[in-house]
Amino acid sequence: MEPFSAWMQAQGPDADIVLSSRIRLARNLKDTRFPNHMTADGAQTMLARVEQAILGVQGGWALHFQKLADLSPVNRQVLMEKHLMSPAMMEDPIAFRAVAIDERESISIMVNEEDHLRLQVLLSGLQLSEAWSVADRLDDTLEATLDYAFDARLGYLTACPTNIGTAMRASVMVHLPALVLTRQASQVFTTLAQIGMVVRGLYGEGSDAVGNIFQISNQVSLGLSEEEFIHNLATVTQQIVGRERHAREYLQHNAELMLADRVERAWGLMSHARIMTSEEALRLLSEVKLGQDLKLLPATKSTFAQLTLVTRPGFLQSQSGRELSASERDQMRATLLRKRLQDEAQSA
């Protein structure tokens, strides 16, 4: 079976538009330097201390602790592509970093990224409260063993001042092709910025918004409770989902021919192409997904999130069992997508 994470199953409320809900908590240990100021010995000591705490947690969490230095560059990249660790974890010092992941790949704990610990829970669809419930319980379990850096006035202390307070980042990953096509996305994103939300690309800060996939999250974590931040984001997300659905209805009723031509061209290219770049694949997948959601194209067994992963360089190299050149990846990407669309549509 291919290594797809549970959050990629397209289940949960509004999962056709909300690809995932994520809660991330930043935590640091008391009286210990932040990772960017630690010595090599201090970082190794921190790594061992956190490993012992994670492996000792009770309550059926079943977390697998993995030092990044023991993973190949390709396997590290796959973890990043599956959103189980951040792009920053790919950078040196790899020797002082680790990640703990549960069997369903819904929970991951990054060790020695910007902060000592980055706990995150990923669920499919709009399930922010459910993700927070899991993250909160795991956080309490770890805090019973680890002494967190906490200030009664400022809250949890973090390496970046914007994360102090709750030190929580709640985010949703959404697919908004109709808002982009109807030129409403920029207006929506401007409004989000005015109410304290930030919009980023597929892999968060510093990444591009390809495939009409966007991450929306709270910009600061101080001043409100975790539940209030989550409520605000959930409310905003529901409004965005409503606007995306309205934009899709508009396209169906007012630009039916253009829409049908666009999604069928995308299906045709993906069903017959022999070479495909990563960016082109995401763009075409986005349009195919829109066509499937509107019943203009046949459905496939693989979800949009799963097909997106299939296009990624690390995943392709992991499947092939060796490093691939850019040209080889373009050929393999086209072959995998072509086979999935043709075979799965026939058997769906």
Side-chain angles (χ1 to χ4, degrees):
M1 181 177 294
E2 291 173 334
F4 293 131
S5 304
W7 70 265
M8 298 178 183
Q9 294 174 355
Q11 298 173 348
D14 296 312
D16 57 326
I17 294 174
V18 184
L19 304 181
S20 69
S21 296
R22 185 190 71 166
I23 297 295
R24 191 201 71 196
L25 303 175
R27 297 291 185 260
N28 290 284
L29 303 193
K30 186 177 181 181
D31 299 326
T32 305
R33 291 182 177 182
F34 292 130
N36 60 331
H37 290 292
M38 284 193 297
T39 64
D41 288 342
Q44 290 290 9
T45 299
M46 168 64 66
L47 201 61
R49 183 180 174 188
V50 171
E51 179 180 11
Q52 183 179 10
I54 290 175
L55 294 180
V57 297
Q58 302 297 316
W61 294 104
L63 296 169
H64 175 66
F65 189 90
Q66 181 67 64
K67 295 179 180 178
L68 295 194
D70 296 335
L71 293 174
S72 69
V74 166
N75 287 336
R76 292 197 293 266
Q77 187 167 352
V78 170
L79 291 179
M80 186 273 292
E81 292 170 352
K82 295 163 82 171
H83 299 272
L84 298 175
M85 68 181 201
S86 66
M89 289 285 282
M90 301 285 288
E91 303 169 0
D92 284 330
I94 293 295
F96 306 141
R97 290 178 167 158
V99 62
I101 303 171
D102 74 324
E103 294 178 352
R104 289 173 52 80
E105 296 186 342
S106 296
I107 298 170
S108 69
I109 303 173
M110 292 172 276
V111 183
N112 281 340
E113 195 227 36
E114 184 177 77
D115 296 290
H116 296 145
L117 296 174
R118 289 281 179 95
L119 291 70
Q120 72 167 24
V121 176
L122 269 168
L123 297 179
S124 178
L126 184 52
Q127 298 193 79
L128 287 167
S129 294
E130 292 82 356
W132 162 241
S133 178
V134 175
D136 189 32
R137 287 189 293 112
L138 177 58
D139 186 39
D140 288 345
T141 301
L142 287 172
E143 193 172 14
T145 303
L146 299 172
D147 192 7
Y148 289 157
F150 183 84
D151 180 85
R153 183 174 61 89
L154 296 175
Y156 291 100
L157 303 182
T158 56
C160 180
T162 60
N163 288 328
I164 62 171
T166 63
M168 183 193 74
R169 182 63 57 87
S171 65
V172 291
M173 184 159 58
V174 290
H175 181 227
L176 306 175
L179 285 178
V180 172
L181 278 174
T182 55
R183 302 181 185 275
Q184 299 179 65
S186 295
Q187 178 187 2
V188 170
F189 298 157
T190 298
T191 302
L192 288 175
Q194 293 171 347
I195 60 173
M197 302 286 177
V198 61
V199 181
R200 295 188 170 103
L202 179 60
Y203 292 106
E205 188 172 3
S207 64
D208 295 327
V210 291
N212 300 311
I213 301 172
F214 305 92
Q215 288 193 31
I216 303 169
S217 65
N218 55 299
Q219 192 164 23
V220 296
S221 58
L222 183 66
L224 298 175
S225 68
E226 291 91 346
E227 290 79 7
E228 288 171 323
F229 279 120
I230 289 168
H231 172 75
N232 290 346
L233 179 58
T235 300
V236 166
T237 303
Q238 289 169 343
Q239 294 172 351
I240 292 172
V241 167
R243 291 196 63 166
E244 171 67 18
R245 295 200 191 286
H246 181 75
R248 293 182 183 193
E249 292 176 4
Y250 174 86
L251 289 172
Q252 280 190 294
H253 289 96
N254 297 279
E256 182 180 6
L257 183 59
M258 179 278 291
L259 181 64
D261 180 72
R262 194 177 184 105
V263 300
E264 288 176 17
R265 280 176 183 269
W267 179 272
L269 277 171
M270 295 195 69
S271 299
H272 296 90
R274 293 297 189 270
I275 299 173
M276 188 170 296
T277 65
S278 176
E279 185 173 345
E280 181 185 22
L282 285 177
R283 178 178 61 79
L284 294 175
L285 275 173
S286 173
E287 299 195 347
V288 166
K289 171 67 161 52
L290 177 61
Q292 292 172 329
D293 288 345
L294 298 179
K295 311 300 182 185
L296 300 174
L297 294 175
T300 54
K301 292 181 180 178
S302 294
T303 68
F304 179 52
Q306 291 170 345
L307 290 172
T308 296
L309 177 63
V310 167
T311 71
R312 302 293 84 200
F315 182 91
L316 293 171
Q317 293 177 102
S318 175
Q319 292 294 290
S320 69
R322 65 183 181 87
E323 291 189 12
L324 301 172
S325 67
S327 175
E328 289 174 320
R329 292 197 301 270
D330 289 350
Q331 293 178 55
M332 184 176 179
R333 181 180 295 112
T335 299
L336 282 178
L337 290 174
R338 186 175 66 249
K339 183 174 178 59
R340 282 181 180 274
L341 262 61
Q342 292 176 344
D343 293 352
E344 293 186 8
Q346 293 173 359
S347 60

